[in-house]
C-alpha cells in the first residue's frame, strides 16, 4: 500500500506545477503538445519512483501516421505504461467518463483529445464517442483503446468489444495490437497493493483494416496477435 501511495503522491506532486503552467498555455495556444509531453513525464516518473519498470519489444517500427493501438487490460498501471512506451508517438485514449471529473487531470485529458465513453450503454452515446475518436485520429493523433473494455480480474483475455473495430473500419487507420504482460501481478484489479517489478510490452506489426473482409475478421486477427505473446494460461 505504501508503494501505491508513493506512486499517487509523485503524480500529484508533479501535476500541480505542470497544471499551473501547461494548462493555461494549452488554453491560450490551442496546442496540447506541451501538456501531453509533460503528462507523459509525470506518468513515467511516478512508475519509476514506485519501482515499476518495463521492457519493450517492437516487432516492426511503428507507422509514421496516426494509429489505433489496441491492448489487453488487466491493471490500472496499463494506461500510464502505454503512454510511456509509445512515446514519442502522441496518443489519446478512450476512457471512463468518470475520469474527466477529476480536478486538473480531467481538464488535461479533454485538452489532449481523450474521449470519454459513457456507461449508459446506449447506441447513441457509443456512436458519439466513436465519432469523436475518429475526429481525433483524422487530426493526426493516435488513439489507444483497451479492446476488452474493462480490466480482466485475473489477467486472462476477456471478450473484445465491437466499438474499436467499428472505429478502425470507419477511419481506416492502421491497427497496432499491443500485449501487456505482468501488470496484473503488480497491481491486480480491485487491489491497492502495488508491487515493484518489470512489465513486458510487445508492440505487434500494424494491421490494415482494408485487408479484412469485415470487423469480425479484424477482431480475430487482433486477438490472435495479442494472445500470441501472453502465457498460455492467460489466452
Amino acid at each position: 500500500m505504501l508503494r501505491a501511495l508513493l506512486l499517487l503522491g509523485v503524480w500529484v506532486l508533479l501535476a500541480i506545477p505542470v497544471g499551473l503552467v501547461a494548462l493555461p498555455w494549452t488554453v491560450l495556444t490551442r496546442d496540447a503538445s506541451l501538456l501531453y509531453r509533460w503528462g507523459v513525464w509525470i506518468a513515467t516518473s511516478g512508475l519509476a519512483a514506485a519501482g515499476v519498470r518495463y521492457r519493450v519489444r517492437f516487432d516492426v517500427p511503428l507507422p509514421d501516421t496516426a494509429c489505433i493501438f489496441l491492448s489487453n487490460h488487466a491493471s490500472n498501471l496499463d494506461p500510464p505504461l502505454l503512454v510511456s512506451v509509445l512515446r514519442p508517438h502522441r496518443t489519446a485514449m478512450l476512457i471512463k467518463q468518470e475520469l474527466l471529473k477529476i480536478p486538473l487531470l480531467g481538464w488535461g485529458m479533454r485538452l489532449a483529445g481523450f474521449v470519454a465513453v459513457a456507461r449508459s450503454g446506449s447506441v447513441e452515446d457509443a456512436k458519439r464517442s466513436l465519432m469523436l475518436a475518429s475526429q481525433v485520429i483524422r487530426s493526426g493523433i493516435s488513439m489507444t483503446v483497451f479492446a476488452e473494455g474493462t480490466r480482466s480480474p485475473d489477467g486472462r483475455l476477456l471478450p473484445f468489444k465491437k466499438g474499436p473495430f467499428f472505429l478502425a473500419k470507419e477511419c481506416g487507420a492502421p491497427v497496432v495490437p499491443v500485449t501487456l504482460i505482468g501488470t496484473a501481478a503488480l497491481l491486480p484489479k480491485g487491489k491497492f497493493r502495488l508491487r515493484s517489478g518489470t512489465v513486458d510490452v510487445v508492440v505487434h506489426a500494424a494491421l490494415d483494416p482494408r485487408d479484412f473482409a469485415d470487423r469480425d475478421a479484424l477482431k480475430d486477427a487482433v486477438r490472435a496477435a495479442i494472445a500470441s505473446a501472453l502465457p498460455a494460461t492467460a489466452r
Side-chain angles (χ1 to χ4, degrees):
M1 185 177 292
L2 290 177
R3 196 178 297 275
L5 291 173
L6 173 63
L7 174 65
L8 292 176
V10 170
W11 282 346
V12 171
L13 184 64
L14 295 178
I16 292 173
V18 166
L20 292 175
V21 175
L23 285 176
W25 173 261
T26 302
V27 171
L28 289 172
T29 63
R30 301 294 182 182
D31 181 359
S33 56
L34 176 65
L35 175 65
Y36 183 80
R37 288 197 303 271
W38 283 3
V40 173
W41 170 68
I42 291 171
T44 306
S45 299
L47 293 171
V52 178
R53 301 171 296 277
Y54 55 85
R55 294 184 293 250
V56 189
R57 187 188 87 204
F58 289 89
D59 284 350
V60 297
L62 289 176
D64 58 1
T65 187
C67 307
I68 301 173
F69 295 101
L70 287 179
S71 173
N72 59 315
H73 193 19
S75 170
N76 279 331
L77 291 175
D78 298 345
L81 270 169
L82 283 174
V83 297
S84 300
V85 166
L86 297 174
R87 58 181 174 171
H89 227 284
R90 180 177 163 187
T91 177
M93 288 189 174
L94 284 179
I95 59 173
K96 294 187 294 186
Q97 196 172 39
E98 294 77 11
L99 291 177
L100 295 182
K101 299 177 182 178
I102 301 175
L104 286 182
L105 177 64
W107 194 18
M109 285 179 170
R110 286 183 188 276
L111 293 172
F114 283 45
V115 176
V117 178
R119 292 293 184 177
S120 66
S122 72
V123 174
E124 292 76 15
D125 284 341
K127 286 182 177 179
R128 188 178 302 110
S129 296
L130 293 177
M131 181 189 68
L132 291 173
S134 181
Q135 291 173 357
V136 170
I137 294 169
R138 290 193 172 101
S139 75
I141 299 171
S142 294
M143 182 66 65
T144 296
V145 185
F146 294 110
E148 299 150 287
T150 188
R151 286 170 292 160
S152 169
D154 54 12
R156 290 185 291 183
L157 275 182
L158 300 173
F160 283 6
K161 299 294 186 181
K162 296 178 181 179
F165 305 97
F166 277 98
L167 175 63
K169 280 292 192 179
E170 164 67 22
C171 67
V175 175
V176 181
V178 181
T179 307
L180 296 173
I181 310 159
T183 56
L186 301 187
L187 184 62
K189 182 178 180 178
K191 303 292 183 182
F192 196 67
R193 180 173 294 175
L194 173 62
R195 299 177 180 176
S196 63
T198 302
V199 174
D200 286 297
V201 185
V202 180
V203 184
H204 303 276
L207 303 173
D208 188 336
R210 295 171 296 182
D211 292 339
F212 297 88
D214 53 33
R215 294 183 297 271
D216 287 337
L218 177 59
K219 181 173 68 173
D220 290 344
V222 171
R223 187 179 182 92
I226 293 174
S228 69
L230 287 171
T233 54
R235 297 173 186 169

